[in-house]
Amino acid sequence: MKLNTKLREQLKIPLGVLVEEKHTTKENILGHISESSYVITVGDATTEKMLNFGIVPSLQIVDGLEKRSKRQPPKSNATKMHCHNPPAQITEESIRTIKQAYASAPPTQILVTGEEDLLVIPACIYAPDNSVVLYGQPNEGLVIVQVTNEIRNKTKKLLQSME
């Protein structure tokens, strides 16, 4: 499934609470996450930031890129899984891998060959109850999404509107 121009604009709107970069502290983040939350991070910088704060995400989706520049994926003791997901797309393989990760014992890290940005969408759709998805909003900060039925429905519509 490929991203279209109309959807590209829609995705610039955060799915959850935007915490400005200067306010992205461990305390602020923990204010949005309960101890029993299933924490999902999408993005290398976001995952690394959580790990540095001592927050170990249950699912970490990374691609070894930050703002399109190569970098080392965050070091984590998580079980590793792999998938291919080209830029501006969501592949069936990546969706299967996310579902498989949810069925595995956490923590799990999915290493994406390609680009992980749009995988926020299936991460929200298939997330277990009581999940929180964290992802970076470029040059703005961190988005914290409490996964609710409303968010699942919204992300399903986004996925269905892809070509």
Side-chain angles (χ1 to χ4, degrees):
M1 289 159 279
K2 293 184 180 178
L3 185 62
N4 57 45
T5 312
K6 181 182 167 201
L7 195 56
R8 192 176 296 274
E9 286 305 307
Q10 222 176 327
L11 291 174
K12 291 181 181 177
I13 302 164
L15 285 171
V17 176
L18 175 64
V19 179
E20 289 180 40
E21 191 63 47
K22 63 184 175 191
H23 299 298
T24 305
T25 63
K26 181 178 181 176
E27 294 72 28
N28 276 346
I29 292 162
L30 289 175
H32 294 273
I33 302 172
S34 73
E35 282 187 38
S36 62
S37 291
Y38 187 98
V39 178
I40 302 151
T41 53
V42 179
D44 293 70
T46 299
T47 300
E48 188 169 75
K49 186 172 286 206
M50 294 311 110
L51 291 169
N52 288 340
F53 285 156
I55 300 167
V56 179
S58 303
L59 176 58
Q60 309 156 22
I61 304 174
V62 298
D63 63 5
L65 296 171
E66 187 173 344
K67 294 183 181 173
R68 308 239 190 287
S69 297
K70 261 203 164 324
R71 59 160 285 164
Q72 281 297 111
K75 300 233 181 296
S76 170
N77 291 330
T79 301
K80 306 291 190 264
M81 297 177 132
H82 301 268
C83 70
H84 289 82
N85 195 74
Q89 293 186 41
I90 299 175
T91 63
E92 289 296 331
E93 178 189 356
S94 62
I95 291 172
R96 274 194 314 276
T97 306
I98 288 169
K99 287 178 177 179
Q100 187 181 353
Y102 286 145
S104 303
T108 304
Q109 185 178 77
I110 298 174
L111 296 156
V112 178
T113 301
E115 192 175 89
E116 94 289 84
D117 302 12
L118 292 178
L119 298 185
V120 166
I121 294 170
C124 287
I125 293 169
Y126 302 106
D129 290 338
N130 198 30
S131 290
V132 179
V133 177
L134 303 135
Y135 68 92
Q137 188 79 7
N139 305 316
E140 291 189 47
L142 180 74
V143 179
I144 303 174
V145 184
Q146 302 289 333
V147 179
T148 60
N149 284 336
E150 182 183 339
I151 288 294
R152 283 184 218 283
N153 291 334
K154 182 176 184 171
T155 50
K156 278 180 192 170
K157 284 180 186 159
L158 290 171
L159 186 63
Q160 290 164 352
S161 63
M162 292 181 77
E163 298 167 351

